[in-house]
Amino acid sequence: MKTPQFTLLCAWLLLAMMGQSQTNTVGTISYDAALAVDGYTLIYPHNQPHARLIDACGEVVHVWTNDSLRRPGNSAYLTPFGDLIWSHRPANFQSDPIWAGGGGAVIEGRTWDNTVQWNYTLNDSTGRLHHDFALTNSGTVLAIAWERIDSLDAIAAGRNPALLEDGELWSERIIELQPNANGGADVVWEWRAWDHLVQDFDSTKAQFGDPALEPHRIDVNFGTPSSAAPDWLHINSIDYNAELNQVLVSVPTFDELWIIDKGVPEAGLVWRWGNPEAYGRGTAEDQQLHYQHAAHWLDAPYHMNTPDFGKIAVFNNRNPGATGPYSSAHLIAPEWMANDTSAAYAMTGNDEASTYAPMDFDWTWTAPTPTDFFSSGLSNFERLPGGNNLILSGRTGEIFEFTASGDTAWQYRVPLQGGLAVSQGTELGINDNLLFRASRYPSQFPAFNGIDLSPMGTWELDPSPLVSCSPCDLDVVLTIESEFATVDVTGANGEVSISWIYEGTTLCTGPELSMNACEGNTSELVEGDQILVHIVDEAGCEFSTTFSWEIVSVAERTEDWRVYPNPTSGELRLSGISEATESAVFNSLGQCMAHFMLAPQPGGTTIDLTHLPEGAYILKIGARRTRILIQR
């Protein structure tokens, strides 16, 4: 909850707050602070050069700027130390020897204040960085790079010449970059897909064999090329698991995920999943992934000690449906071979038709009407702390957060059109505001320790803050009378909730505390009981204060009477009784235990309660009540 400041002035309690209700089309569209995970989202949209960290209200809290002639290439990630590692490329790629969607050029490290620490460039006729990279726990970076293969070399490796266009083929490398003292980076490890081939097209060429018998190898003649004809594998995501020392990649042209053992790179693929037809052990009917993106292990600190730890999250872009394509999000739980000392991944059986386990997804999300949610490319899915889910539709630049039960916690849409900020209310179309990846960092992320994350304004023009994001400036007036209290609240954002609470129990809700308004729940209150009034509006602005319950009017209070000793062993003395007054004693069930008339006496009046058992009672004298305790 957001807590506004307030001023106490005599009997008046002042708070203030402004807000308005509207339907936003860009920026933060909806936000429920009670449901959303507290944190900040890193966005690095296409068609512009900068990366921004935003809060749930769409306010920019930090920005890393780049040259106006640079573009994302495509990922950006924060380290726990507060550095930004990002990839970028020239805006103009027309003369580049290798280009396809997702192309990059430079991976770079910058400090929180945007100072360049190091960078590494690969963008020439031999290869090009592209799409994604992964950070390791040792400070290195694992990057994806296209590797140009000459057509003659491709044919010598068994590639079907009919599948070659433009006289070349692009394979993939994974390179590990170690930043050096000279502001650059050194390649300290490498894995090449070209070293792990199999083919059953030409028995006279290298690596001839049956792909079904060698699932750890890559069929050089399988796959559907991407937007560029030579782009054979088009790996679009990479992740690293420090505990396993393994690398996970997404290969959309194979509709598969692959795992590589970094410690045993010669082993090839130690696990693959999503399309067993890619290694000759299935048909199109067995395919479960469809041009997927953003595969990663759930191994963040907040996943530990949860049932999700160690599973793989993936965004499934192009599911075929009877009424049209749709996108989905999934968790996958790879299985290990039982009692196997080598810790190999399990298969679904023991014969040559077996595929890598599991048989199916561990968890699946689709829209209630699946075809209502579709992004043919880009996009990602994250499992957040507490079981919330963050899903990006990359083609429309829309980010959704929803709870495990499906309630919407947050919705945001990148307020750009062709890289330029648009006004609130603008209706955007598909591909207007492309976003490759949305990454949520919890508010407890170490990089934020001691950092000023004050809002700097929204990215969209002419912003219109949601009610839940409005500033807290409520006006509240509390009025107290005999057996009655009321609050008058003005300036609230939306509806206001008011609760009257005594000793942890809510007596009633609403603007009035009285016998009638609270259905008799105030009947047991006595003079001086401390009542808490709690007020909260739709923006999460809240106010609480405690006051003393009154039984008599101010005029009656001038009659100074008191009861003593309290606690008592059974005999009470009352002083200040000025006229004959009816009196009674009630137990905690409201039953009358004694009834008598009090008459004024010099030196006070005595009441004998020795016949009552030990316990708490209410003594009523005229209109006034007080609590007494009998102890022996």
Side-chain angles (χ1 to χ4, degrees):
M1 292 291 186
K2 299 184 296 180
T3 304
Q5 296 187 358
F6 65 93
T7 303
L8 178 62
L9 195 57
C10 296
W12 301 84
L13 302 171
L14 301 179
L15 285 183
M17 175 172 151
M18 295 178 56
Q20 55 184 331
S21 177
Q22 75 291 311
T23 300
N24 287 352
T25 61
V26 296
T28 296
I29 295 171
S30 66
Y31 171 47
D32 188 330
L35 300 179
V37 173
D38 191 20
Y40 302 91
T41 305
L42 182 64
I43 56 175
Y44 188 31
H46 283 35
N47 302 320
Q48 59 82 55
H50 314 308
R52 287 170 170 81
L53 198 64
I54 61 172
D55 64 16
C57 290
E59 297 260 11
V60 177
V61 299
H62 197 74
V63 59
W64 292 265
T65 60
N66 207 352
D67 184 275
S68 62
L69 297 180
R70 305 299 293 182
R71 295 293 181 268
N74 290 266
S75 295
Y77 300 107
L78 279 175
T79 74
F81 306 104
D83 299 324
L84 180 78
I85 313 298
W86 65 353
S87 55
H88 53 84
R89 61 167 176 84
N92 188 336
F93 51 81
Q94 299 302 318
S95 60
D96 293 350
I98 296 177
W99 170 256
V106 176
I107 292 180
E108 186 174 68
R110 297 204 180 190
T111 63
W112 183 265
D113 61 7
N114 210 35
T115 301
V116 176
Q117 296 175 304
W118 64 272
N119 58 41
Y120 177 88
T121 301
L122 177 59
N123 180 20
D124 56 33
S125 61
T126 67
R128 181 173 192 148
L129 297 171
H130 66 99
H131 280 93
D132 198 16
F133 57 86
L135 309 180
T136 75
N137 56 330
S138 60
T140 62
V141 175
L142 292 166
I144 307 165
W146 283 308
E147 179 180 17
R148 182 181 179 274
I149 306 294
D150 181 81
S151 61
L152 295 179
D153 291 335
I155 292 171
R159 178 76 170 182
N160 182 348
L163 301 177
L164 286 173
E165 295 186 37
D166 301 330
E168 62 186 45
L169 184 72
W170 303 345
S171 184
E172 299 279 11
R173 298 164 61 211
I174 299 172
I175 56 176
E176 184 172 13
L177 303 175
Q178 174 70 65
N180 59 40
N182 300 319
D186 302 313
V187 177
V188 295
W189 180 86
E190 178 184 59
W191 184 90
R192 301 175 69 236
W194 206 250
D195 294 335
H196 305 279
L197 303 180
V198 66
Q199 55 89 17
D200 58 0
F201 172 72
D202 189 339
S203 62
T204 67
K205 300 297 191 294
Q207 308 300 337
F208 182 76
D210 184 353
L213 299 180
E214 300 186 75
H216 60 287
R217 294 188 177 273
I218 304 163
D219 186 348
V220 74
N221 290 305
F222 192 81
T224 303
S226 182
S227 58
D231 189 10
W232 171 43
L233 298 175
H234 194 77
I235 294 177
N236 59 22
S237 75
I238 182 170
D239 191 34
Y240 175 69
N241 188 307
E243 182 179 1
L244 300 175
N245 194 27
Q246 292 180 350
V247 180
L248 170 70
V249 296
S250 166
V251 189
T253 57
F254 274 47
D255 303 297
E256 279 193 302
L257 306 182
W258 295 348
I259 291 179
I260 300 153
D261 192 325
K262 189 170 179 288
V264 192
E266 64 274 12
L269 311 182
V270 298
W271 182 82
R272 59 194 304 177
W273 200 87
N275 184 17
E277 187 179 13
Y279 54 100
R281 296 195 180 189
T283 67
E285 294 181 355
D286 301 309
Q287 183 178 336
Q288 292 177 283
L289 293 178
H290 301 271
Y291 212 83
Q292 73 288 335
H293 280 74
H296 64 281
W297 276 288
L298 301 186
D299 58 356
Y302 53 81
H303 291 132
M304 296 182 68
N305 301 317
T306 74
D308 292 331
F309 184 75
K311 295 177 183 177
I312 292 172
V314 67
F315 187 98
N316 208 4
N317 291 76
R318 302 179 184 177
N319 296 282
T323 59
Y326 64 94
S327 298
S328 56
H330 306 278
L331 295 182
I332 304 167
E335 299 174 12
W336 296 92
M337 291 179 64
N339 302 319
D340 186 82
T341 57
S342 63
Y345 285 96
M347 307 288 283
T348 57
N350 298 317
D351 56 29
E352 294 178 359
S354 299
T355 59
Y356 284 93
M359 292 288 292
D360 203 352
F361 296 111
D362 183 75
W363 176 88
T364 292
W365 173 86
T366 63
T369 300
T371 51
D372 286 347
F373 183 79
F374 177 63
S375 181
S376 63
L378 313 153
S379 313
N380 72 289
F381 152 59
E382 290 184 1
R383 177 60 54 87
L384 301 178
N388 276 20
N389 302 284
L390 189 78
I391 290 183
L392 163 68
S393 170
R395 291 286 184 197
T396 58
E398 293 176 283
I399 311 170
F400 306 87
E401 179 186 346
F402 57 90
T403 66
S405 59
D407 296 320
T408 299
W410 184 62
Q411 182 180 354
Y412 180 87
R413 189 165 193 183
V414 176
L416 298 180
Q417 191 169 43
L420 301 176
V422 298
S423 296
Q424 184 58 259
T426 300
E427 296 291 343
L428 296 173
I430 192 169
N431 295 335
D432 277 350
N433 53 353
L434 299 174
L435 181 60
F436 180 69
R437 186 74 50 84
S439 300
R440 173 68 61 81
Y441 294 89
S443 56
Q444 300 84 6
F445 190 63
F448 303 145
N449 291 340
I451 295 295
D452 182 9
L453 294 171
S454 299
M456 301 160 54
T458 61
W459 202 349
E460 68 267 21
L461 308 177
D462 303 318
S464 182
L466 295 179
V467 167
S468 55
C469 293
S470 299
C472 293
D473 277 327
L474 277 168
D475 280 340
V476 176
V477 175
L478 171 64
T479 303
I480 305 169
E481 299 177 4
S482 177
E483 298 193 77
F484 177 87
T486 184
V487 289
D488 181 32
V489 183
T490 58
N493 287 311
E495 297 295 323
V496 176
S497 172
I498 303 171
S499 300
W500 306 89
I501 303 167
Y502 173 68
E503 292 187 345
T505 300
T506 299
L507 299 172
C508 64
T509 59
E512 180 182 316
L513 178 67
S514 66
M515 279 283 287
N516 291 335
C518 300
E519 299 181 348
N521 289 339
T522 64
S523 61
E524 299 300 318
L525 296 178
V526 302
E527 180 86 10
D529 278 347
Q530 297 297 294
I531 308 299
L532 172 71
V533 57
H534 179 252
I535 303 167
V536 61
D537 67 12
E538 289 184 27
C541 298
E542 62 178 359
F543 172 70
S544 297
T545 191
T546 301
F547 64 93
S548 296
W549 183 243
E550 294 184 359
I551 296 296
V552 297
S553 65
V554 174
E556 291 175 301
R557 196 175 294 113
T558 58
E559 184 181 289
D560 185 19
W561 61 271
R562 66 189 188 94
V563 178
Y564 62 95
N566 192 8
T568 178
S569 60
E571 187 175 273
L572 283 177
R573 291 190 60 78
L574 289 84
S575 63
I577 303 297
S578 60
E579 60 183 23
T581 305
E582 187 178 13
S583 180
V585 176
F586 300 87
N587 65 13
S588 59
L589 299 177
Q591 298 169 327
C592 183
M593 307 300 292
H595 183 271
F596 38 82
M597 291 292 297
L598 298 178
Q601 299 285 345
T605 302
T606 300
I607 298 176
D608 184 8
L609 300 177
T610 55
H611 64 288
L612 297 181
E614 289 187 336
Y617 297 87
I618 294 175
L619 171 64
K620 181 179 179 182
I621 303 175
R624 300 180 65 176
R625 295 189 290 268
T626 190
R627 295 184 189 278
I628 59 173
L629 183 64
I630 298 176
Q631 292 181 338
R632 298 187 179 91

